[in-house]
Amino acid sequence: MSFDAERLAQPAIRALRAYDPGHDLPTLRTRFGAVLAELGSNENPSGPSPKALAAAREALADSHRYPDPRCGRLRDVLSNHHGVSPDQLVFGNGSHELLMQLAQAFAGPDAAVMHSQYGFAVFAIAAAASGAPTICVPALPREHPSAPWGHDLDAMAAALRDDMRLVYLANPNNPTGTWFSPDALHAFLKKVPDDTLVVVDEAYGEFMQVAGHASALSLMAAHPNLVVTRTFSKAYALAGMRVGYLVAHPSVAAVLERLRESFNLGLATQAAAVAALADSVYLHLTLTRNAEERAWLAAELAERGHRTLPSLTNFLLLDTGEDAAPLERHLFDRGVIVRPMGGYGLPQTVRISVGSRAENRRLLEALP
């Protein structure tokens, strides 16, 4: 009999399906070269702040040393940036790691998890890995005027139950690009019991350049059960550095610190994040460019008869109204990589990252 570790794994892990990162991009870069348009991973085509790159290079000179395990400098600057206490911060290898650890720490067979249909895929993976009972609440309908396929917060509030330990939300949401207002979140939080943690993933939070919007962090003082996760991967263009963090009540942070891997943020990573956060001018330019390019791309797609959902992120969800697989394959064969959404239960859609103007033009030229 051949050895198979599958039978040794815990039941919840045996039932788990791994996160799908998409196409093998290193191989595709070799195949297509400079003509490849990478529009499938929501990366920032502007690249990192030059100051962040310089700080990372300088830090590499000390690569024979372990990094600061407490991320002290980064902790201090983020504490000042968000106006929170240093002991409210926990750092992760991207926010993905932190979303998983929240379920590892607080969910389980007797502690349920809730998330929305079409929510970020890691929510369901984190819940399944913990063996927790999971409630997936149907999203708003496709025809909703302001948030098609977005979170239905009223339905989620109605689905709360006594054993609910974690609720995962995303604002804005990946892959739909939809969002909800601070008032809507506040109304939802007032309905949630104090012993249920509400996790708001704001991976795309910096892109929410709209009047009246505020981060969920503004509600944290009134709701100690609120947890906010963020990342430097998107707006700050440090996806390859893997810098994520969360802000929570100090007692929540203290529990998670017991799980955090030692030295999980490297020397160069910490230095780059500190410098990126300080370069507000570069961030503003990046966000402005993204908003302009997103509007241009959405308009160009609309002229060609393609429907995209409203978005305040660095991506657009294109709804073909039919099986989108042929469109995705057509683009792939021409070196334009977009993300099919069949794994999210949206097989009629593809997610298109907002690229550079040259990349976006290649997309438009490749469309059938």
Side-chain angles (χ1 to χ4, degrees), residues 17 20 118 175 317 323-325 328 339-351:
R17 195 174 80 180
D20 178 11
Y118 313 136
L317 189 69
D323 182 13
E328 190 269 336
R339 190 69 180 268
M341 290 288 105
Y344 278 85
L346 293 166
Q348 71 275 42
T349 70
V350 293
R351 193 188 66 198

PDB file of all heavy atoms in Angstrom, residues 17 20 118 175 317 323-325 328 339-351:
ATOM      1  N   ARG A  17     -10.243  22.899   0.062  1.00  0.00           N
ATOM      2  CA  ARG A  17      -9.677  23.124  -1.254  1.00  0.00           C
ATOM      3  C   ARG A  17      -8.739  24.316  -1.172  1.00  0.00           C
ATOM      4  O   ARG A  17      -9.097  25.365  -0.637  1.00  0.00           O
ATOM      5  CB  ARG A  17     -10.783  23.410  -2.276  1.00  0.00           C
ATOM      6  CG  ARG A  17     -10.311  23.296  -3.723  1.00  0.00           C
ATOM      7  CD  ARG A  17     -11.464  23.438  -4.696  1.00  0.00           C
ATOM      8  NE  ARG A  17     -11.822  24.839  -4.890  1.00  0.00           N
ATOM      9  CZ  ARG A  17     -12.807  25.252  -5.688  1.00  0.00           C
ATOM     10  NH1 ARG A  17     -13.545  24.367  -6.312  1.00  0.00           N
ATOM     11  NH2 ARG A  17     -13.072  26.525  -5.823  1.00  0.00           N
ATOM     12  N   ASP A  20      -6.806  29.280  -4.914  1.00  0.00           N
ATOM     13  CA  ASP A  20      -6.365  29.264  -6.307  1.00  0.00           C
ATOM     14  C   ASP A  20      -5.713  30.603  -6.651  1.00  0.00           C
ATOM     15  O   ASP A  20      -6.400  31.621  -6.728  1.00  0.00           O
ATOM     16  CB  ASP A  20      -7.567  29.011  -7.218  1.00  0.00           C
ATOM     17  CG  ASP A  20      -7.196  29.038  -8.693  1.00  0.00           C
ATOM     18  OD1 ASP A  20      -5.993  29.044  -9.008  1.00  0.00           O
ATOM     19  OD2 ASP A  20      -8.123  29.049  -9.528  1.00  0.00           O
ATOM     20  N   TYR A 118     -20.123  35.460  -2.704  1.00  0.00           N
ATOM     21  CA  TYR A 118     -19.242  36.255  -3.555  1.00  0.00           C
ATOM     22  C   TYR A 118     -18.245  37.089  -2.749  1.00  0.00           C
ATOM     23  O   TYR A 118     -17.638  38.024  -3.270  1.00  0.00           O
ATOM     24  CB  TYR A 118     -20.011  37.174  -4.513  1.00  0.00           C
ATOM     25  CG  TYR A 118     -21.147  36.509  -5.242  1.00  0.00           C
ATOM     26  CD1 TYR A 118     -22.373  37.140  -5.361  1.00  0.00           C
ATOM     27  CD2 TYR A 118     -20.999  35.231  -5.796  1.00  0.00           C
ATOM     28  CE1 TYR A 118     -23.432  36.524  -6.034  1.00  0.00           C
ATOM     29  CE2 TYR A 118     -22.057  34.609  -6.449  1.00  0.00           C
ATOM     30  CZ  TYR A 118     -23.269  35.262  -6.559  1.00  0.00           C
ATOM     31  OH  TYR A 118     -24.314  34.635  -7.207  1.00  0.00           O
ATOM     32  N   PRO A 175     -14.460  39.730  -5.302  1.00  0.00           N
ATOM     33  CA  PRO A 175     -14.181  40.280  -6.633  1.00  0.00           C
ATOM     34  C   PRO A 175     -15.221  41.239  -7.199  1.00  0.00           C
ATOM     35  O   PRO A 175     -15.089  41.677  -8.345  1.00  0.00           O
ATOM     36  CB  PRO A 175     -14.167  39.008  -7.485  1.00  0.00           C
ATOM     37  CG  PRO A 175     -15.272  38.184  -6.900  1.00  0.00           C
ATOM     38  CD  PRO A 175     -15.210  38.446  -5.403  1.00  0.00           C
ATOM     39  N   LEU A 317     -15.232  44.274 -12.558  1.00  0.00           N
ATOM     40  CA  LEU A 317     -15.834  42.972 -12.806  1.00  0.00           C
ATOM     41  C   LEU A 317     -16.695  43.090 -14.052  1.00  0.00           C
ATOM     42  O   LEU A 317     -17.672  43.842 -14.078  1.00  0.00           O
ATOM     43  CB  LEU A 317     -16.674  42.518 -11.619  1.00  0.00           C
ATOM     44  CG  LEU A 317     -17.159  41.060 -11.702  1.00  0.00           C
ATOM     45  CD1 LEU A 317     -15.985  40.094 -11.547  1.00  0.00           C
ATOM     46  CD2 LEU A 317     -18.207  40.769 -10.635  1.00  0.00           C
ATOM     47  N   ASP A 323     -21.607  32.307 -20.212  1.00  0.00           N
ATOM     48  CA  ASP A 323     -20.367  31.674 -19.796  1.00  0.00           C
ATOM     49  C   ASP A 323     -19.172  32.498 -20.294  1.00  0.00           C
ATOM     50  O   ASP A 323     -19.014  32.725 -21.498  1.00  0.00           O
ATOM     51  CB  ASP A 323     -20.292  30.251 -20.360  1.00  0.00           C
ATOM     52  CG  ASP A 323     -19.048  29.505 -19.926  1.00  0.00           C
ATOM     53  OD1 ASP A 323     -18.349  29.979 -18.998  1.00  0.00           O
ATOM     54  OD2 ASP A 323     -18.759  28.439 -20.504  1.00  0.00           O
ATOM     55  N   ALA A 324     -18.341  32.950 -19.355  1.00  0.00           N
ATOM     56  CA  ALA A 324     -17.222  33.824 -19.713  1.00  0.00           C
ATOM     57  C   ALA A 324     -15.956  33.058 -20.071  1.00  0.00           C
ATOM     58  O   ALA A 324     -14.951  33.673 -20.440  1.00  0.00           O
ATOM     59  CB  ALA A 324     -16.929  34.787 -18.553  1.00  0.00           C
ATOM     60  N   ALA A 325     -15.972  31.730 -19.965  1.00  0.00           N
ATOM     61  CA  ALA A 325     -14.773  30.942 -20.237  1.00  0.00           C
ATOM     62  C   ALA A 325     -14.220  31.170 -21.642  1.00  0.00           C
ATOM     63  O   ALA A 325     -13.000  31.314 -21.820  1.00  0.00           O
ATOM     64  CB  ALA A 325     -15.032  29.457 -19.980  1.00  0.00           C
ATOM     65  N   GLU A 328     -12.356  34.480 -21.656  1.00  0.00           N
ATOM     66  CA  GLU A 328     -11.092  34.405 -20.900  1.00  0.00           C
ATOM     67  C   GLU A 328     -10.035  33.666 -21.704  1.00  0.00           C
ATOM     68  O   GLU A 328      -8.869  34.078 -21.759  1.00  0.00           O
ATOM     69  CB  GLU A 328     -11.336  33.717 -19.558  1.00  0.00           C
ATOM     70  CG  GLU A 328     -10.155  33.798 -18.602  1.00  0.00           C
ATOM     71  CD  GLU A 328      -9.204  32.625 -18.731  1.00  0.00           C
ATOM     72  OE1 GLU A 328      -9.642  31.559 -19.200  1.00  0.00           O
ATOM     73  OE2 GLU A 328      -8.016  32.774 -18.344  1.00  0.00           O
ATOM     74  N   ARG A 339      -8.898  37.401 -14.732  1.00  0.00           N
ATOM     75  CA  ARG A 339      -9.206  36.355 -13.759  1.00  0.00           C
ATOM     76  C   ARG A 339     -10.631  35.850 -13.939  1.00  0.00           C
ATOM     77  O   ARG A 339     -11.598  36.601 -13.734  1.00  0.00           O
ATOM     78  CB  ARG A 339      -9.029  36.904 -12.334  1.00  0.00           C
ATOM     79  CG  ARG A 339      -9.091  35.845 -11.239  1.00  0.00           C
ATOM     80  CD  ARG A 339      -7.888  34.912 -11.282  1.00  0.00           C
ATOM     81  NE  ARG A 339      -7.967  33.914 -10.225  1.00  0.00           N
ATOM     82  CZ  ARG A 339      -7.434  34.065  -9.014  1.00  0.00           C
ATOM     83  NH1 ARG A 339      -6.781  35.177  -8.711  1.00  0.00           N
ATOM     84  NH2 ARG A 339      -7.545  33.101  -8.120  1.00  0.00           N
ATOM     85  N   PRO A 340     -10.811  34.586 -14.334  1.00  0.00           N
ATOM     86  CA  PRO A 340     -12.161  34.024 -14.403  1.00  0.00           C
ATOM     87  C   PRO A 340     -12.729  33.856 -13.004  1.00  0.00           C
ATOM     88  O   PRO A 340     -12.015  33.517 -12.067  1.00  0.00           O
ATOM     89  CB  PRO A 340     -11.941  32.674 -15.090  1.00  0.00           C
ATOM     90  CG  PRO A 340     -10.530  32.306 -14.774  1.00  0.00           C
ATOM     91  CD  PRO A 340      -9.775  33.606 -14.687  1.00  0.00           C
ATOM     92  N   MET A 341     -14.021  34.063 -12.861  1.00  0.00           N
ATOM     93  CA  MET A 341     -14.653  34.071 -11.554  1.00  0.00           C
ATOM     94  C   MET A 341     -15.579  32.887 -11.315  1.00  0.00           C
ATOM     95  O   MET A 341     -16.437  32.923 -10.431  1.00  0.00           O
ATOM     96  CB  MET A 341     -15.433  35.382 -11.370  1.00  0.00           C
ATOM     97  CG  MET A 341     -14.542  36.606 -11.229  1.00  0.00           C
ATOM     98  SD  MET A 341     -13.695  36.635  -9.624  1.00  0.00           S
ATOM     99  CE  MET A 341     -12.035  36.177 -10.098  1.00  0.00           C
ATOM    100  N   GLY A 342     -15.400  31.815 -12.078  1.00  0.00           N
ATOM    101  CA  GLY A 342     -16.219  30.632 -11.860  1.00  0.00           C
ATOM    102  C   GLY A 342     -16.053  30.061 -10.466  1.00  0.00           C
ATOM    103  O   GLY A 342     -17.010  29.558  -9.865  1.00  0.00           O
ATOM    104  N   GLY A 343     -14.843  30.149  -9.919  1.00  0.00           N
ATOM    105  CA  GLY A 343     -14.594  29.649  -8.569  1.00  0.00           C
ATOM    106  C   GLY A 343     -15.351  30.404  -7.504  1.00  0.00           C
ATOM    107  O   GLY A 343     -15.534  29.897  -6.382  1.00  0.00           O
ATOM    108  N   TYR A 344     -15.803  31.601  -7.802  1.00  0.00           N
ATOM    109  CA  TYR A 344     -16.598  32.397  -6.878  1.00  0.00           C
ATOM    110  C   TYR A 344     -18.098  32.194  -7.102  1.00  0.00           C
ATOM    111  O   TYR A 344     -18.917  32.848  -6.460  1.00  0.00           O
ATOM    112  CB  TYR A 344     -16.274  33.881  -7.047  1.00  0.00           C
ATOM    113  CG  TYR A 344     -15.033  34.337  -6.324  1.00  0.00           C
ATOM    114  CD1 TYR A 344     -13.772  34.197  -6.902  1.00  0.00           C
ATOM    115  CD2 TYR A 344     -15.105  34.922  -5.059  1.00  0.00           C
ATOM    116  CE1 TYR A 344     -12.636  34.625  -6.254  1.00  0.00           C
ATOM    117  CE2 TYR A 344     -13.972  35.353  -4.401  1.00  0.00           C
ATOM    118  CZ  TYR A 344     -12.738  35.205  -4.999  1.00  0.00           C
ATOM    119  OH  TYR A 344     -11.607  35.629  -4.342  1.00  0.00           O
ATOM    120  N   GLY A 345     -18.453  31.329  -8.046  1.00  0.00           N
ATOM    121  CA  GLY A 345     -19.859  31.154  -8.369  1.00  0.00           C
ATOM    122  C   GLY A 345     -20.378  32.197  -9.332  1.00  0.00           C
ATOM    123  O   GLY A 345     -21.597  32.389  -9.449  1.00  0.00           O
ATOM    124  N   LEU A 346     -19.459  32.864 -10.053  1.00  0.00           N
ATOM    125  CA  LEU A 346     -19.837  33.883 -11.022  1.00  0.00           C
ATOM    126  C   LEU A 346     -19.218  33.534 -12.379  1.00  0.00           C
ATOM    127  O   LEU A 346     -18.364  34.262 -12.907  1.00  0.00           O
ATOM    128  CB  LEU A 346     -19.351  35.267 -10.560  1.00  0.00           C
ATOM    129  CG  LEU A 346     -20.023  35.836  -9.313  1.00  0.00           C
ATOM    130  CD1 LEU A 346     -19.241  37.025  -8.769  1.00  0.00           C
ATOM    131  CD2 LEU A 346     -21.466  36.239  -9.621  1.00  0.00           C
ATOM    132  N   PRO A 347     -19.617  32.396 -12.966  1.00  0.00           N
ATOM    133  CA  PRO A 347     -18.970  31.931 -14.193  1.00  0.00           C
ATOM    134  C   PRO A 347     -19.200  32.833 -15.395  1.00  0.00           C
ATOM    135  O   PRO A 347     -18.531  32.683 -16.413  1.00  0.00           O
ATOM    136  CB  PRO A 347     -19.605  30.548 -14.412  1.00  0.00           C
ATOM    137  CG  PRO A 347     -20.942  30.635 -13.739  1.00  0.00           C
ATOM    138  CD  PRO A 347     -20.716  31.491 -12.532  1.00  0.00           C
ATOM    139  N   GLN A 348     -20.148  33.754 -15.299  1.00  0.00           N
ATOM    140  CA  GLN A 348     -20.427  34.649 -16.405  1.00  0.00           C
ATOM    141  C   GLN A 348     -19.573  35.916 -16.360  1.00  0.00           C
ATOM    142  O   GLN A 348     -19.767  36.829 -17.154  1.00  0.00           O
ATOM    143  CB  GLN A 348     -21.912  35.023 -16.421  1.00  0.00           C
ATOM    144  CG  GLN A 348     -22.357  35.956 -15.296  1.00  0.00           C
ATOM    145  CD  GLN A 348     -22.699  35.222 -13.999  1.00  0.00           C
ATOM    146  OE1 GLN A 348     -22.013  34.301 -13.577  1.00  0.00           O
ATOM    147  NE2 GLN A 348     -23.781  35.649 -13.372  1.00  0.00           N
ATOM    148  N   THR A 349     -18.610  35.970 -15.425  1.00  0.00           N
ATOM    149  CA  THR A 349     -17.817  37.186 -15.242  1.00  0.00           C
ATOM    150  C   THR A 349     -16.325  36.899 -15.316  1.00  0.00           C
ATOM    151  O   THR A 349     -15.867  35.771 -15.107  1.00  0.00           O
ATOM    152  CB  THR A 349     -18.116  37.854 -13.878  1.00  0.00           C
ATOM    153  OG1 THR A 349     -17.595  37.036 -12.820  1.00  0.00           O
ATOM    154  CG2 THR A 349     -19.604  38.060 -13.672  1.00  0.00           C
ATOM    155  N   VAL A 350     -15.568  37.954 -15.595  1.00  0.00           N
ATOM    156  CA  VAL A 350     -14.115  37.949 -15.424  1.00  0.00           C
ATOM    157  C   VAL A 350     -13.743  39.229 -14.672  1.00  0.00           C
ATOM    158  O   VAL A 350     -14.391  40.266 -14.825  1.00  0.00           O
ATOM    159  CB  VAL A 350     -13.350  37.884 -16.764  1.00  0.00           C
ATOM    160  CG1 VAL A 350     -13.565  36.555 -17.456  1.00  0.00           C
ATOM    161  CG2 VAL A 350     -13.714  39.046 -17.674  1.00  0.00           C
ATOM    162  N   ARG A 351     -12.716  39.119 -13.855  1.00  0.00           N
ATOM    163  CA  ARG A 351     -12.212  40.288 -13.133  1.00  0.00           C
ATOM    164  C   ARG A 351     -11.000  40.843 -13.870  1.00  0.00           C
ATOM    165  O   ARG A 351     -10.079  40.099 -14.194  1.00  0.00           O
ATOM    166  CB  ARG A 351     -11.820  39.895 -11.709  1.00  0.00           C
ATOM    167  CG  ARG A 351     -11.580  41.076 -10.772  1.00  0.00           C
ATOM    168  CD  ARG A 351     -11.010  40.594  -9.449  1.00  0.00           C
ATOM    169  NE  ARG A 351      -9.676  40.027  -9.650  1.00  0.00           N
ATOM    170  CZ  ARG A 351      -9.064  39.227  -8.778  1.00  0.00           C
ATOM    171  NH1 ARG A 351      -9.661  38.865  -7.670  1.00  0.00           N
ATOM    172  NH2 ARG A 351      -7.861  38.755  -9.036  1.00  0.00           N
TER     173      ARG A 351
END
